[in-house]
Structures are given as structure tokens and as C-alpha cells.
Amino acid sequence: MKLLNERILKDGKVRPGNILKVDSFLNHQIDPVLMKELAQEFKRRFDGEGITKIITIEASGIAVSVLAGLEFGVPMVFAKKTSSKNLDGELYYAEVKSFTRGTVVDIQMSKKFITKDDKILIIDDFLANGQALLGLINIVKQAGATLAGCGIVIEKAFQDGGKIVRDLGVRVESLAIVESMSDDGLVLKD
Ligand code: 5GP
């Protein structure tokens, strides 16, 4: 997506450990106008799929997922990374190894918010090794819901996640694809 590619080239910073820092528009400060454009693009790509719910993982997936929820006219549910007194009733759990922290967390989602009748679109900010998506896909399976696919803002194609998830037969649509990254900068797919 041209607009997103331009923004990444303008504001993205390559950090050690294959991290792309985009905290001025996606991961810390959020650009709502850009988020709306991204959400509209997800809607174009998954239009007609009969999506009933969008799910993501806290925290960075939430902003764009809410706006996607507005475009599709459906609720958005985010998996929580920590337990809280606010999480009551029965929960789905899935193990996720965090790419940025290196720790393993049990993500949690209340069973009452996804059912077997749902057609789910998973959205996340980044796709690296695929752990976050695999955790969310696991929850969709536990619920017996149907997975329409995954919408990713930035996929790092030089890491394995895209292949792992697509090899499962899951449709993955990424709005920007980073082909390579180094201290000298990054190369984006057109
Ligand atoms: P994966 O689970 O695919 O290995 O990593 C995806 C998750 O790790 C995303 O939810 C995102 O929060 C984080 N992540 C992975 N790579 C990057 C990156 O290059 N930059 C940032 N800011 N977050 C990343």
C-alpha cells in the first residue's frame, strides 16, 4: 500500500534484533488518519467474506482493529496478555512467545465474545515469526469459529511467520511487506 510504504520509509527506524520502530504512527503515537486508511484497505481486501468479528492482541493491534471494526460494522475483541479481575467467566488461553520481549505469555480471551457462529478476521500490527498469529488462530479453533484470514499492517518477509501461517492454508494479507532490513535502511515490496 503506497501510502503506508511512504510513511514507513519516512518515519521508520531500523533497530538491532530485526526490529522496525514505527512508534511515531503505529506503536506509541498513533496516526488516526493513517489508521483509517489501513482499515479501509482491510475492508476492501476482505469485503464479501461475511466477517462478524475482528480479533487482535494487545496492545499495538488495537487501534487499527477498532477502525477496521468500524469499516466492517462489527465488534473487535483483543486478547489480553495479563490476567485481571476484569476478566471473568470462562476463558480461551493460548501460549505466545513475544517477539519484542522474548518472553512467553498466555494470552486470554473471554469465551463469551467468540462463538462457533463467528467468521473471524485476525488483525495485527506486525508479522515476524508468526507466534502472535498462531496464538490467535489457536483461540479461533478452540471457539470452533471460522477464520476468514489475517490482516497485517507490516509483514517482515525475511522472517518465517508469513510462510508458517500461509502453509496452514490461512489467507494472510499484508499492507506493507519489508523484504530486507539493515543498518543502511530497508527495502519494501512495491
Ligand atoms: P511474531 O509473533 O509474528 O513473531 O511477532 C509479531 C508481534 O511482535 C507483533 O504483535 C508486534 O507487536 C511485535 N513485533 C514483531 N516485529 C516487530 C517489529 O519489527 N517492530 C515492532 N514495533 N513490533 C514488532
Side-chain angles (χ1 to χ4, degrees):
M1 187 181 170
K2 193 165 177 280
L3 182 75
L4 177 60
N5 281 3
E6 286 168 358
R7 190 62 179 270
I8 294 169
L9 291 174
K10 180 167 149 294
D11 292 335
K13 306 261 181 307
V14 177
R15 292 285 181 254
N18 282 330
I19 301 268
L20 174 59
K21 197 165 171 175
V22 284
D23 61 350
S24 64
F25 62 91
L26 184 63
N27 288 137
H28 194 15
Q29 175 172 261
I30 309 269
D31 179 342
V33 177
L34 179 65
M35 294 305 113
K36 188 173 176 201
E37 297 272 355
L38 303 182
Q40 287 170 339
E41 183 61 24
F42 284 134
K43 174 76 164 86
R44 268 191 289 277
R45 295 193 189 198
F46 287 94
D47 207 16
E49 288 288 337
I51 308 290
T52 62
K53 209 151 272 189
I54 292 170
I55 70 169
T56 190
I57 187 164
E58 69 176 353
S60 301
I62 294 178
V64 66
S65 297
V66 172
L67 291 175
L70 265 179
E71 296 298 327
F72 284 89
V74 301
M76 185 282 283
V77 191
F78 63 94
K80 300 202 178 203
K81 289 180 177 163
T82 48
S83 351
S84 125
K85 285 182 184 156
N86 277 327
L87 265 177
D88 52 9
E90 286 193 74
L91 303 172
Y92 296 118
Y93 292 94
E95 210 173 74
V96 170
K97 183 166 185 220
S98 158
F99 180 84
T100 39
R101 291 194 186 84
T103 51
V104 176
V105 290
D106 261 336
I107 59 167
Q108 309 167 35
M109 188 178 285
S110 179
K111 286 192 177 177
K112 63 181 177 236
F113 295 131
I114 16 178
T115 72
K116 61 175 181 34
D117 299 324
D118 278 315
K119 185 133 188 219
I120 307 273
L121 172 61
I122 295 175
I123 288 184
D124 204 8
D125 59 338
F126 272 92
L127 173 56
N129 295 326
Q131 293 298 305
L133 287 191
L134 291 176
L136 291 168
I137 291 168
N138 181 344
I139 286 179
V140 173
K141 281 197 180 136
Q142 290 178 54
T146 307
L147 180 61
C150 303
I152 299 294
V153 179
I154 304 175
E155 174 176 349
K156 292 183 290 178
F158 54 89
Q159 291 171 313
D160 286 342
K163 179 171 170 21
I164 292 169
V165 177
R166 289 185 181 97
D167 280 353
L168 294 174
V170 174
R171 177 178 174 199
V172 180
E173 292 282 341
S174 301
L175 305 188
I177 298 181
V178 183
E179 289 185 330
S180 64
M181 248 167 51
S182 70
D183 293 345
D184 300 330
L186 49 83
V187 177
L188 293 172
K189 193 171 169 201
D190 279 343

